[in-house]
Amino acid sequence: MLAVLFILGTLCPLNNAALDISLLDPQLDDVLTAKFSDGFLLRFPNCTSYGGQDGQVLYQIIKTDEKLSENFTVPNCTSDKQAPRGLLLNKLQNGTLYSVWYKIGEEISLPLNSSTLPVTKFSEINDGLPARSGAMVVITVILALAMAVLLAGLISLIFISG
Ligand SMILES: *[C@@H]1O[C@H](CO)[C@@H](O)[C@H](O)[C@H]1NC(C)=O
Ligand SMILES: *[C@@H]1O[C@H](CO)[C@@H](O)[C@H](O)[C@H]1NC(C)=O
Ligand SMILES: *[C@@H]1O[C@H](CO)[C@@H](O)[C@H](O)[C@H]1NC(C)=O
Ligand SMILES: *[C@@H]1O[C@H](CO)[C@@H](O)[C@H](O)[C@H]1NC(C)=O
Ligand SMILES: *[C@@H]1O[C@H](CO)[C@@H](O)[C@H](O)[C@H]1NC(C)=O
């Protein structure tokens, strides 16, 4: 019985490190951000379990059914602090909710659902300005007129009293 368990155990090694997907964390990973308007920085799968293996990142806009994918190779474990920790998935649409998975061999991760950042239109950023500068012109003209009237009053006062 024990022998059978032993053989089963060696045939089906416990897989502690399940295939996991997440964004890089700006606080832990030395990156400014893991989300862009056109992409995500995904943490590479655990190098201990998957280093050197070929994998795929599958992604789709949640509202649609079109699945896209990209191939990559999981980097080997390294002590090099400069080595990239994440995979840049780009050419995505801005402000859009995506579902992203890793697939390595037959293993598929849970989906990561995340939104790209929205791109604010240039015209929207500038919207407030023309109105405000119009008001500024009006105020400047009123102030200039008031100052002219005040000066004229002062000068005539000097002439009258003198
Ligand atoms: C990778 O998996 C191993 C176990 O297979 C675990 O000890 C290690 O902490 C994991 N590394 C990371 C970065 O999660
Ligand atoms: C990763 O390690 C494996 C063996 O451990 C080696 O065959 C492979 O060339 C390495 N890949 C890279 C990119 O260093
Ligand atoms: C991610 O979105 C999918 C739909 O594409 C949904 O089935 C799944 O439950 C969502 N997962 C999470 C963690 O929100
Ligand atoms: C990506 O990998 C899959 C299987 O791993 C392969 O069938 C496909 O041709 C690869 N695509 C590219 C563009 O290399
Ligand atoms: C951002 O997304 C909107 C809606 O999907 C699209 O109309 C717009 O062209 C995108 N802007 C850029 C810069 O990609």
Side-chain angles (χ1 to χ4, degrees), residues 47-112:
C47 65
T48 314
S49 315
Y50 303 102
Q53 296 187 37
D54 290 328
Q56 278 180 298
V57 50
L58 308 162
Y59 57 102
Q60 80 175 79
I61 297 177
I62 284 189
K63 277 190 283 186
T64 71
D65 281 333
E66 189 192 3
K67 284 195 176 54
L68 299 160
S69 72
E70 258 178 54
N71 291 358
F72 70 102
T73 303
V74 183
N76 285 336
C77 292
T78 167
S79 54
D80 181 3
K81 290 230 170 11
Q82 304 296 317
R85 299 179 203 208
L87 173 74
L88 179 64
L89 180 64
N90 61 4
K91 305 194 191 90
L92 307 182
Q93 282 178 31
N94 74 83
T96 306
L97 189 54
Y98 278 88
S99 230
V100 189
W101 308 258
Y102 277 141
K103 180 170 187 287
I104 297 177
E106 293 306 309
E107 261 191 282
I108 299 182
S109 73
L110 287 174
L112 164 77

